[in-house]
Amino acid sequence: MPTPSSPLLPDERLAAGAARLASRYAGHFSPETVLGLLADSYTRLAEQARVRTHLVVLAERLTAERLDALAHTQGLVNGPTRVLFVCSQNAGRSQMAAALLAHRAGERVTVSSAGTRPADEVEPHIAQALTEAGADLADAYPKPLTEEVVEAADIVITMGCGDACPVVPGRRYLDWPVADPEAAPIAVVREIRDEIDAHISELLVQLAP
């Protein structure tokens, strides 16, 4: 593995994460592939961040998600149906949809979310509305849309990202025209949550074996 002073690392603190990921994905991906994705993940997250305290941790998590998706696409691992939610900022609608589907589907589905122009934090009322519904948003953070995650998705659900929404041949696309909860009062966020949950119910029926 490169040393902490490697010019490929935008932050020397990433070296420990690079070593962990290289060990975790040994046999699937080379250390160089892991390092390149980790550096890219950090750079993408840094572009949107106002506070960089947790960037190193988040970059490692984003890289792991991208490597999992890449392993799926290349047929290195098998898994359940993969659903990707995409909105503009990945701070409201797509976060709620991902959390609700993960809560209700469990291990039946692998869920991801991303934004075409990710914000630097999740909308404050989103976590409250989801907690009330029994869903967990504790580890959520706005993520940039990456090629690996899009290509690994079986179903891509767009939620207001317009022309910036990804289009990859062979994927099933759904569009859920749900209002944006940005800066909305909690009562409105609850209404949006319930509308999304109704869509989730329909999706689960379609995914049922």
Side-chain angles (χ1 to χ4, degrees):
M1 288 297 298
T3 64
S5 60
S6 169
L8 293 176
L9 291 172
D11 187 316
E12 65 179 19
R13 295 173 299 167
L14 292 167
R20 283 190 293 269
L21 290 169
S23 176
R24 175 176 170 182
Y25 292 94
H28 288 334
F29 302 110
S30 68
E32 291 76 18
T33 296
V34 171
L35 188 68
L37 280 179
L38 181 60
D40 182 69
S41 295
Y42 180 92
T43 300
R44 292 187 186 216
L45 290 170
E47 290 174 353
Q48 74 203 40
R50 289 184 297 181
V51 180
R52 302 195 172 196
T53 307
H54 304 296
L55 269 184
V56 171
V57 173
L58 296 182
E60 184 175 344
R61 287 172 52 191
L62 177 58
T63 303
E65 182 176 345
R66 296 173 71 180
L67 289 167
D68 285 341
L70 189 60
H72 178 83
T73 302
Q74 295 183 359
L76 302 174
V77 296
N78 295 317
T81 299
R82 301 178 70 95
V83 178
L84 169 64
F85 293 98
V86 184
C87 68
S88 296
Q89 297 186 318
N90 193 217
R93 290 167 289 189
S94 57
Q95 291 283 1
M96 282 199 288
L100 288 167
L101 179 57
H103 172 65
R104 296 184 57 186
E107 296 182 356
R108 292 169 50 199
V109 179
T110 296
V111 185
S112 298
S113 70
T116 55
R117 294 180 291 102
D120 63 329
E121 62 182 1
V122 176
E123 286 288 317
H125 288 324
I126 300 301
Q128 179 182 345
L130 286 171
T131 298
E132 293 171 357
D136 183 17
L137 200 70
D139 295 327
Y141 63 100
K143 297 183 292 293
L145 188 64
T146 63
E147 179 181 346
E148 301 84 8
V149 175
V150 175
E151 292 188 348
D154 298 297
I155 302 173
V156 178
I157 300 176
T158 57
M159 308 178 76
C161 48
D163 292 340
C165 288
V167 177
V168 176
R171 303 298 174 272
R172 178 186 176 193
Y173 283 86
L174 300 173
D175 183 65
W176 293 356
V178 180
D180 189 347
E182 182 178 6
I186 185 61
V188 173
V189 174
R190 290 187 183 113
E191 293 175 358
I192 295 171
R193 175 202 63 198
D194 292 344
E195 183 179 353
I196 291 173
D197 199 45
H199 284 295
I200 295 291
S201 294
E202 295 174 1
L203 180 64
L204 288 172
V205 170
Q206 297 171 19
L207 294 177

